[in-house]
Amino acid sequence: MKKYLVIGNPIGHSLSPSIHNHWMKKYRLIDSIYEKRKVEKEDLGSIVNEIRNEKIKGVNVTVPFKKEIIPFLDCLDGAAECTHSVNTLCKVNNEVWGYNTDTPGFRTSLTKDSSIDVRNKNIFILGAGGVTSSILEIFLDVANKIYITNRTKEKAQELKKLADISLTLMGRKKIIEVINWGEKPQVCDIVINTTSVGLAKGESLDLDFKDYENNNNALFYDIIYNPKETNFLKDAKLRGNKTMNGKMMFLWQAKIAFHIWTNICPEIDDEVIKLLD
Ligand code: ATR
């Protein structure tokens, strides 16, 4: 039996097993099974060893362990290295590799599913939690200006520090500005909620987006996909802005992980999209 896992804490809400087991059935990987496991920080080393000993074939890592898993790994792929965030593990030759499929997943959701051209845009990122560096990464080489705000400002400043290193390596000027929570930057082209506000039904961000009234060019993107429409998106829709939730990002990151493990490129069709509804 080939065993796959998603690990995190809490993990009950994860829809990764439905998606991956659906694909495993569809592509007739009858000896494969994907499960979820709630783990503690102390378990991370032994999970990686289970991959090394081939007791587990592949693992997805979710909150709060995307950074904590890194010291146990032998190698990181490019996006994982740049963002210090890992969401997929796989044994390659004799090494356990960590990949970040959130970054390409987010990029693909924007380029393929939203038809937004991200080049030379002004971006406003809300939050500086575990997933934010994966989102920020895709704008570094293309954006005009990036504003980041987080309730705890120091975490946004840490993100900027990490991203500034990448910008320097790219030969780009420092395009990131950290602003206070509640402060308003210029009107931006894309506003992304990477905070956890909205995960619980009815929760709202205490931020003012009145300047976006009737702006049908601005895209409001919430990486949350459950609930389907957070108040952040509901309000944006009412103002006349474009909106997008995190469903496609979630599916693209899963597709890339599945490909890493099985060498099969699974289809994102209506059937699999429906599993998230
Ligand atoms: P972590 O911060 O441990 O990485 P996360 O779930 O990845 O956890 O991130 C949660 C994000 O949502 C953070 O940006 C958090 O802000 P803080 O860094 O200030 O905690 C943000 N967040 C959570 N609740 C919030 C609230 N009520 N208002 C604003 N931001 C909130």
Side-chain angles (χ1 to χ4, degrees), residues 166-217:
S166 299
L167 286 169
T168 305
L169 290 173
M170 287 171 195
R172 292 208 75 193
K173 58 179 191 207
K174 305 240 162 82
I175 55 169
I176 302 174
E177 188 177 331
V178 172
I179 62 169
N180 293 323
W181 187 253
E183 200 182 311
K184 290 200 276 183
Q186 63 175 303
V187 169
C188 288
D189 303 289
I190 307 177
V191 184
I192 306 155
N193 177 37
T194 75
T195 76
S196 49
V197 179
L199 270 176
K201 268 212 164 96
E203 271 182 337
S204 284
L205 284 161
D206 52 347
L207 296 175
D208 170 11
F209 293 109
K210 281 196 198 86
D211 298 348
Y212 291 82
E213 205 64 54
N214 298 321
N215 180 340
N216 57 12
N217 287 316

Short mmCIF file of all heavy atoms in Angstrom, two decimals, residues 166-217:
data_model
loop_
_atom_site.label_atom_id
_atom_site.label_comp_id
_atom_site.label_asym_id
_atom_site.label_seq_id
_atom_site.Cartn_x
_atom_site.Cartn_y
_atom_site.Cartn_z
N SER A 166 15.45 38.51 -1.87
CA SER A 166 15.14 38.02 -3.22
C SER A 166 15.18 39.15 -4.24
O SER A 166 15.69 38.98 -5.35
CB SER A 166 13.75 37.38 -3.26
OG SER A 166 13.69 36.29 -2.39
N LEU A 167 14.64 40.31 -3.86
CA LEU A 167 14.62 41.46 -4.78
C LEU A 167 16.04 41.86 -5.16
O LEU A 167 16.33 42.14 -6.32
CB LEU A 167 13.88 42.64 -4.16
CG LEU A 167 12.35 42.51 -4.08
CD1 LEU A 167 11.75 43.61 -3.21
CD2 LEU A 167 11.72 42.57 -5.47
N THR A 168 16.93 41.87 -4.16
CA THR A 168 18.33 42.24 -4.42
C THR A 168 18.95 41.23 -5.39
O THR A 168 19.63 41.60 -6.35
CB THR A 168 19.13 42.26 -3.10
OG1 THR A 168 18.44 43.15 -2.21
CG2 THR A 168 20.55 42.74 -3.30
N LEU A 169 18.68 39.93 -5.15
CA LEU A 169 19.23 38.90 -6.03
C LEU A 169 18.71 39.05 -7.46
O LEU A 169 19.39 38.73 -8.43
CB LEU A 169 18.88 37.50 -5.51
CG LEU A 169 19.60 37.09 -4.22
CD1 LEU A 169 19.06 35.78 -3.68
CD2 LEU A 169 21.11 36.99 -4.45
N MET A 170 17.46 39.55 -7.57
CA MET A 170 16.87 39.75 -8.90
C MET A 170 17.36 41.04 -9.55
O MET A 170 17.01 41.33 -10.69
CB MET A 170 15.34 39.88 -8.78
CG MET A 170 14.61 38.61 -8.49
SD MET A 170 12.89 39.07 -8.11
CE MET A 170 12.34 37.55 -7.38
N GLY A 171 18.07 41.86 -8.79
CA GLY A 171 18.52 43.15 -9.31
C GLY A 171 17.38 44.16 -9.38
O GLY A 171 17.44 45.12 -10.16
N ARG A 172 16.36 43.96 -8.55
CA ARG A 172 15.23 44.90 -8.55
C ARG A 172 15.35 45.85 -7.36
O ARG A 172 15.96 45.54 -6.34
CB ARG A 172 13.89 44.16 -8.41
CG ARG A 172 13.51 43.31 -9.59
CD ARG A 172 12.00 43.18 -9.69
NE ARG A 172 11.39 44.39 -10.19
CZ ARG A 172 10.09 44.65 -10.14
NH1 ARG A 172 9.26 43.81 -9.60
NH2 ARG A 172 9.60 45.79 -10.61
N LYS A 173 14.71 47.02 -7.51
CA LYS A 173 14.73 47.94 -6.36
C LYS A 173 13.73 47.46 -5.30
O LYS A 173 12.91 46.58 -5.57
CB LYS A 173 14.46 49.37 -6.82
CG LYS A 173 13.16 49.55 -7.54
CD LYS A 173 12.98 50.99 -7.93
CE LYS A 173 11.57 51.12 -8.40
NZ LYS A 173 11.07 51.97 -9.25
N LYS A 174 13.81 48.06 -4.13
CA LYS A 174 12.95 47.63 -3.01
C LYS A 174 11.55 48.17 -3.23
O LYS A 174 11.30 49.36 -3.04
CB LYS A 174 13.54 48.12 -1.69
CG LYS A 174 14.99 47.68 -1.50
CD LYS A 174 15.16 46.84 -0.26
CE LYS A 174 16.44 46.04 -0.27
NZ LYS A 174 17.62 46.77 0.14
N ILE A 175 10.63 47.30 -3.62
CA ILE A 175 9.28 47.76 -3.99
C ILE A 175 8.26 47.49 -2.89
O ILE A 175 7.08 47.75 -3.06
CB ILE A 175 8.80 47.09 -5.30
CG1 ILE A 175 8.89 45.56 -5.18
CG2 ILE A 175 9.59 47.59 -6.50
CD1 ILE A 175 8.19 44.81 -6.32
N ILE A 176 8.74 46.96 -1.75
CA ILE A 176 7.78 46.60 -0.69
C ILE A 176 7.73 47.66 0.39
O ILE A 176 8.77 48.14 0.85
CB ILE A 176 8.17 45.25 -0.05
CG1 ILE A 176 8.21 44.17 -1.12
CG2 ILE A 176 7.19 44.87 1.07
CD1 ILE A 176 8.72 42.84 -0.63
N GLU A 177 6.52 48.01 0.79
CA GLU A 177 6.35 48.95 1.90
C GLU A 177 5.42 48.33 2.93
O GLU A 177 4.32 47.87 2.59
CB GLU A 177 5.75 50.26 1.36
CG GLU A 177 5.71 51.36 2.38
CD GLU A 177 5.19 52.67 1.79
OE1 GLU A 177 5.36 52.93 0.57
OE2 GLU A 177 4.57 53.43 2.55
N VAL A 178 5.87 48.32 4.18
CA VAL A 178 5.01 47.82 5.26
C VAL A 178 4.24 49.00 5.82
O VAL A 178 4.83 50.04 6.13
CB VAL A 178 5.87 47.15 6.37
CG1 VAL A 178 5.01 46.81 7.58
CG2 VAL A 178 6.56 45.91 5.82
N ILE A 179 2.92 48.85 5.93
CA ILE A 179 2.12 49.95 6.48
C ILE A 179 1.39 49.47 7.73
O ILE A 179 1.20 48.26 7.92
CB ILE A 179 1.14 50.55 5.45
CG1 ILE A 179 0.14 49.51 4.99
CG2 ILE A 179 1.88 51.14 4.25
CD1 ILE A 179 -1.00 50.11 4.18
N ASN A 180 0.99 50.41 8.55
CA ASN A 180 0.28 50.06 9.79
C ASN A 180 -1.07 49.44 9.48
O ASN A 180 -1.71 49.79 8.48
CB ASN A 180 0.05 51.30 10.66
CG ASN A 180 1.34 51.88 11.17
OD1 ASN A 180 2.27 51.13 11.50
ND2 ASN A 180 1.43 53.20 11.22
N TRP A 181 -1.52 48.56 10.34
CA TRP A 181 -2.85 47.97 10.22
C TRP A 181 -3.89 49.09 10.30
O TRP A 181 -3.85 49.89 11.23
CB TRP A 181 -3.05 46.94 11.34
CG TRP A 181 -4.32 46.15 11.21
CD1 TRP A 181 -5.43 46.28 11.98
CD2 TRP A 181 -4.58 45.11 10.28
NE1 TRP A 181 -6.38 45.38 11.57
CE2 TRP A 181 -5.89 44.64 10.52
CE3 TRP A 181 -3.85 44.52 9.23
CZ2 TRP A 181 -6.48 43.63 9.79
CZ3 TRP A 181 -4.44 43.50 8.51
CH2 TRP A 181 -5.73 43.07 8.78
N GLY A 182 -4.75 49.19 9.31
CA GLY A 182 -5.77 50.25 9.33
C GLY A 182 -5.38 51.43 8.47
O GLY A 182 -6.22 52.25 8.10
N GLU A 183 -4.08 51.53 8.13
CA GLU A 183 -3.61 52.62 7.27
C GLU A 183 -3.98 52.28 5.82
O GLU A 183 -4.01 51.10 5.46
CB GLU A 183 -2.09 52.71 7.40
CG GLU A 183 -1.48 54.03 6.97
CD GLU A 183 0.05 53.96 7.11
OE1 GLU A 183 0.54 53.53 8.17
OE2 GLU A 183 0.73 54.31 6.14
N LYS A 184 -4.24 53.33 5.00
CA LYS A 184 -4.63 53.06 3.61
C LYS A 184 -3.52 53.43 2.65
O LYS A 184 -3.08 54.58 2.63
CB LYS A 184 -5.90 53.85 3.26
CG LYS A 184 -7.13 53.34 3.98
CD LYS A 184 -8.41 53.78 3.30
CE LYS A 184 -8.83 55.16 3.75
NZ LYS A 184 -10.09 55.58 3.16
N PRO A 185 -3.09 52.48 1.82
CA PRO A 185 -2.12 52.86 0.77
C PRO A 185 -2.89 53.46 -0.40
O PRO A 185 -4.12 53.57 -0.34
CB PRO A 185 -1.51 51.53 0.38
CG PRO A 185 -2.57 50.52 0.63
CD PRO A 185 -3.44 51.05 1.74
N GLN A 186 -2.20 53.80 -1.49
CA GLN A 186 -2.91 54.22 -2.71
C GLN A 186 -3.87 53.10 -3.14
O GLN A 186 -3.68 51.95 -2.75
CB GLN A 186 -1.89 54.50 -3.82
CG GLN A 186 -1.10 53.27 -4.22
CD GLN A 186 -0.16 53.51 -5.40
OE1 GLN A 186 -0.60 53.92 -6.46
NE2 GLN A 186 1.12 53.28 -5.19
N VAL A 187 -4.86 53.43 -3.95
CA VAL A 187 -5.77 52.40 -4.46
C VAL A 187 -4.95 51.41 -5.30
O VAL A 187 -4.19 51.83 -6.17
CB VAL A 187 -6.90 53.04 -5.30
CG1 VAL A 187 -7.70 51.98 -6.04
CG2 VAL A 187 -7.82 53.84 -4.38
N CYS A 188 -5.07 50.12 -4.98
CA CYS A 188 -4.24 49.10 -5.65
C CYS A 188 -5.05 48.31 -6.67
O CYS A 188 -6.27 48.38 -6.70
CB CYS A 188 -3.65 48.16 -4.61
SG CYS A 188 -2.35 48.95 -3.65
N ASP A 189 -4.34 47.54 -7.50
CA ASP A 189 -5.01 46.73 -8.53
C ASP A 189 -5.51 45.40 -7.96
O ASP A 189 -6.53 44.88 -8.38
CB ASP A 189 -4.03 46.44 -9.67
CG ASP A 189 -3.49 47.73 -10.27
OD1 ASP A 189 -4.27 48.41 -10.94
OD2 ASP A 189 -2.31 48.05 -10.03
N ILE A 190 -4.72 44.84 -7.03
CA ILE A 190 -5.10 43.55 -6.45
C ILE A 190 -4.96 43.65 -4.93
O ILE A 190 -3.91 44.08 -4.42
CB ILE A 190 -4.20 42.40 -6.96
CG1 ILE A 190 -4.18 42.38 -8.51
CG2 ILE A 190 -4.68 41.04 -6.43
CD1 ILE A 190 -3.26 41.31 -9.11
N VAL A 191 -6.02 43.29 -4.20
CA VAL A 191 -5.99 43.29 -2.73
C VAL A 191 -6.21 41.84 -2.28
O VAL A 191 -7.20 41.22 -2.67
CB VAL A 191 -7.10 44.19 -2.15
CG1 VAL A 191 -7.01 44.25 -0.62
CG2 VAL A 191 -7.05 45.59 -2.75
N ILE A 192 -5.26 41.31 -1.51
CA ILE A 192 -5.33 39.89 -1.16
C ILE A 192 -5.42 39.70 0.35
O ILE A 192 -4.57 40.19 1.10
CB ILE A 192 -4.07 39.15 -1.67
CG1 ILE A 192 -3.89 39.41 -3.17
CG2 ILE A 192 -4.17 37.64 -1.42
CD1 ILE A 192 -2.47 39.26 -3.62
N ASN A 193 -6.45 38.97 0.78
CA ASN A 193 -6.56 38.64 2.19
C ASN A 193 -5.86 37.33 2.46
O ASN A 193 -6.29 36.27 1.99
CB ASN A 193 -8.03 38.52 2.62
CG ASN A 193 -8.12 38.10 4.08
OD1 ASN A 193 -7.30 38.53 4.90
ND2 ASN A 193 -9.08 37.27 4.42
N THR A 194 -4.75 37.39 3.21
CA THR A 194 -4.06 36.15 3.61
C THR A 194 -4.22 35.93 5.12
O THR A 194 -3.58 35.05 5.68
CB THR A 194 -2.56 36.18 3.26
OG1 THR A 194 -1.87 37.03 4.18
CG2 THR A 194 -2.31 36.67 1.84
N THR A 195 -5.06 36.74 5.77
CA THR A 195 -5.29 36.52 7.20
C THR A 195 -6.30 35.38 7.37
O THR A 195 -6.93 34.95 6.41
CB THR A 195 -5.85 37.77 7.92
OG1 THR A 195 -7.24 37.90 7.60
CG2 THR A 195 -5.11 39.04 7.55
N SER A 196 -6.47 34.95 8.60
CA SER A 196 -7.44 33.88 8.86
C SER A 196 -8.83 34.46 9.15
O SER A 196 -9.76 33.71 9.43
CB SER A 196 -6.96 33.02 10.02
OG SER A 196 -6.57 33.84 11.10
N VAL A 197 -8.96 35.78 9.06
CA VAL A 197 -10.25 36.41 9.35
C VAL A 197 -11.23 36.10 8.22
O VAL A 197 -10.99 36.43 7.06
CB VAL A 197 -10.09 37.94 9.53
CG1 VAL A 197 -11.45 38.58 9.81
CG2 VAL A 197 -9.12 38.24 10.64
N GLY A 198 -12.34 35.45 8.60
CA GLY A 198 -13.32 35.03 7.60
C GLY A 198 -13.48 33.52 7.59
O GLY A 198 -14.46 32.99 7.06
N LEU A 199 -12.50 32.83 8.17
CA LEU A 199 -12.59 31.36 8.25
C LEU A 199 -13.81 30.98 9.08
O LEU A 199 -14.56 30.07 8.72
CB LEU A 199 -11.34 30.79 8.92
CG LEU A 199 -10.18 30.41 8.01
CD1 LEU A 199 -8.99 29.95 8.84
CD2 LEU A 199 -10.57 29.34 7.01
N ALA A 200 -14.00 31.71 10.19
CA ALA A 200 -15.22 31.51 10.98
C ALA A 200 -16.30 32.39 10.36
O ALA A 200 -16.05 33.57 10.09
CB ALA A 200 -14.96 31.91 12.43
N LYS A 201 -17.46 31.79 10.11
CA LYS A 201 -18.53 32.50 9.41
C LYS A 201 -18.86 33.82 10.10
O LYS A 201 -18.94 33.88 11.33
CB LYS A 201 -19.78 31.62 9.33
CG LYS A 201 -19.83 30.79 8.06
CD LYS A 201 -21.28 30.56 7.60
CE LYS A 201 -21.31 30.10 6.17
NZ LYS A 201 -21.37 28.65 5.98
N GLY A 202 -19.03 34.89 9.29
CA GLY A 202 -19.48 36.16 9.86
C GLY A 202 -18.34 37.09 10.27
O GLY A 202 -18.56 38.27 10.49
N GLU A 203 -17.11 36.55 10.38
CA GLU A 203 -15.98 37.40 10.78
C GLU A 203 -15.66 38.44 9.71
O GLU A 203 -15.72 38.13 8.52
CB GLU A 203 -14.72 36.54 10.91
CG GLU A 203 -14.49 35.94 12.26
CD GLU A 203 -13.19 35.14 12.30
OE1 GLU A 203 -12.69 34.70 11.23
OE2 GLU A 203 -12.69 34.96 13.40
N SER A 204 -15.31 39.65 10.14
CA SER A 204 -14.97 40.71 9.18
C SER A 204 -13.67 41.39 9.55
O SER A 204 -13.36 41.55 10.74
CB SER A 204 -16.04 41.79 9.19
OG SER A 204 -17.17 41.36 8.52
N LEU A 205 -12.93 41.80 8.55
CA LEU A 205 -11.73 42.59 8.78
C LEU A 205 -12.15 44.02 9.11
O LEU A 205 -13.08 44.55 8.49
CB LEU A 205 -10.88 42.63 7.51
CG LEU A 205 -10.10 41.36 7.19
CD1 LEU A 205 -9.69 41.36 5.73
CD2 LEU A 205 -8.87 41.27 8.09
N ASP A 206 -11.46 44.64 10.06
CA ASP A 206 -11.83 46.01 10.41
C ASP A 206 -11.03 47.00 9.55
O ASP A 206 -10.30 47.84 10.07
CB ASP A 206 -11.61 46.26 11.91
CG ASP A 206 -10.21 45.88 12.35
OD1 ASP A 206 -9.50 45.21 11.57
OD2 ASP A 206 -9.81 46.26 13.47
N LEU A 207 -11.13 46.85 8.24
CA LEU A 207 -10.39 47.74 7.33
C LEU A 207 -11.37 48.46 6.41
O LEU A 207 -12.45 47.93 6.10
CB LEU A 207 -9.40 46.92 6.49
CG LEU A 207 -8.28 46.23 7.27
CD1 LEU A 207 -7.46 45.35 6.35
CD2 LEU A 207 -7.38 47.24 7.98
N ASP A 208 -10.97 49.63 5.96
CA ASP A 208 -11.87 50.48 5.18
C ASP A 208 -11.44 50.45 3.70
O ASP A 208 -10.33 50.83 3.36
CB ASP A 208 -11.76 51.91 5.77
CG ASP A 208 -12.43 52.95 4.90
OD1 ASP A 208 -13.16 52.57 3.96
OD2 ASP A 208 -12.22 54.14 5.18
N PHE A 209 -12.37 49.98 2.84
CA PHE A 209 -12.07 49.92 1.41
C PHE A 209 -13.01 50.83 0.60
O PHE A 209 -13.27 50.55 -0.56
CB PHE A 209 -12.15 48.47 0.91
CG PHE A 209 -11.09 47.57 1.49
CD1 PHE A 209 -11.41 46.60 2.42
CD2 PHE A 209 -9.76 47.72 1.11
CE1 PHE A 209 -10.43 45.79 2.97
CE2 PHE A 209 -8.77 46.92 1.65
CZ PHE A 209 -9.10 45.95 2.58
N LYS A 210 -13.49 51.90 1.26
CA LYS A 210 -14.45 52.80 0.58
C LYS A 210 -13.88 53.37 -0.72
O LYS A 210 -14.62 53.63 -1.67
CB LYS A 210 -14.83 53.96 1.51
CG LYS A 210 -15.85 53.57 2.56
CD LYS A 210 -16.48 54.82 3.18
CE LYS A 210 -17.15 54.47 4.49
NZ LYS A 210 -16.20 54.50 5.63
N ASP A 211 -12.55 53.53 -0.76
CA ASP A 211 -11.92 54.11 -1.96
C ASP A 211 -12.09 53.23 -3.20
O ASP A 211 -11.72 53.64 -4.30
CB ASP A 211 -10.41 54.30 -1.73
CG ASP A 211 -10.13 55.26 -0.61
OD1 ASP A 211 -11.07 55.95 -0.17
OD2 ASP A 211 -8.96 55.32 -0.16
N TYR A 212 -12.56 52.00 -3.00
CA TYR A 212 -12.70 51.06 -4.13
C TYR A 212 -14.13 51.00 -4.67
O TYR A 212 -14.44 50.16 -5.50
CB TYR A 212 -12.25 49.66 -3.70
CG TYR A 212 -10.76 49.56 -3.45
CD1 TYR A 212 -10.21 49.96 -2.23
CD2 TYR A 212 -9.90 49.09 -4.43
CE1 TYR A 212 -8.86 49.88 -1.98
CE2 TYR A 212 -8.53 49.01 -4.20
CZ TYR A 212 -8.01 49.41 -2.98
OH TYR A 212 -6.66 49.34 -2.76
N GLU A 213 -15.00 51.91 -4.17
CA GLU A 213 -16.40 51.95 -4.61
C GLU A 213 -16.48 52.05 -6.13
O GLU A 213 -15.80 52.89 -6.74
CB GLU A 213 -17.05 53.19 -3.96
CG GLU A 213 -18.55 53.11 -3.78
CD GLU A 213 -19.00 52.01 -2.83
OE1 GLU A 213 -18.51 51.97 -1.67
OE2 GLU A 213 -19.83 51.20 -3.26
N ASN A 214 -17.25 51.15 -6.75
CA ASN A 214 -17.46 51.14 -8.22
C ASN A 214 -16.19 50.92 -9.04
O ASN A 214 -16.17 51.24 -10.22
CB ASN A 214 -18.11 52.45 -8.69
CG ASN A 214 -19.48 52.63 -8.07
OD1 ASN A 214 -20.21 51.66 -7.92
ND2 ASN A 214 -19.79 53.85 -7.66
N ASN A 215 -15.15 50.40 -8.41
CA ASN A 215 -13.90 50.13 -9.14
C ASN A 215 -13.97 48.70 -9.68
O ASN A 215 -13.69 47.75 -8.97
CB ASN A 215 -12.72 50.33 -8.19
CG ASN A 215 -11.39 50.07 -8.86
OD1 ASN A 215 -11.32 49.41 -9.89
ND2 ASN A 215 -10.32 50.58 -8.28
N ASN A 216 -14.35 48.58 -10.95
CA ASN A 216 -14.52 47.21 -11.47
C ASN A 216 -13.24 46.65 -12.09
O ASN A 216 -13.26 45.60 -12.71
CB ASN A 216 -15.71 47.12 -12.44
CG ASN A 216 -15.55 48.09 -13.60
OD1 ASN A 216 -14.47 48.66 -13.78
ND2 ASN A 216 -16.60 48.29 -14.37
N ASN A 217 -12.13 47.36 -11.90
CA ASN A 217 -10.84 46.82 -12.33
C ASN A 217 -10.12 46.12 -11.18
O ASN A 217 -9.33 45.22 -11.41
CB ASN A 217 -9.93 47.94 -12.85
CG ASN A 217 -10.42 48.41 -14.20
OD1 ASN A 217 -10.76 47.60 -15.04
ND2 ASN A 217 -10.48 49.73 -14.38
#
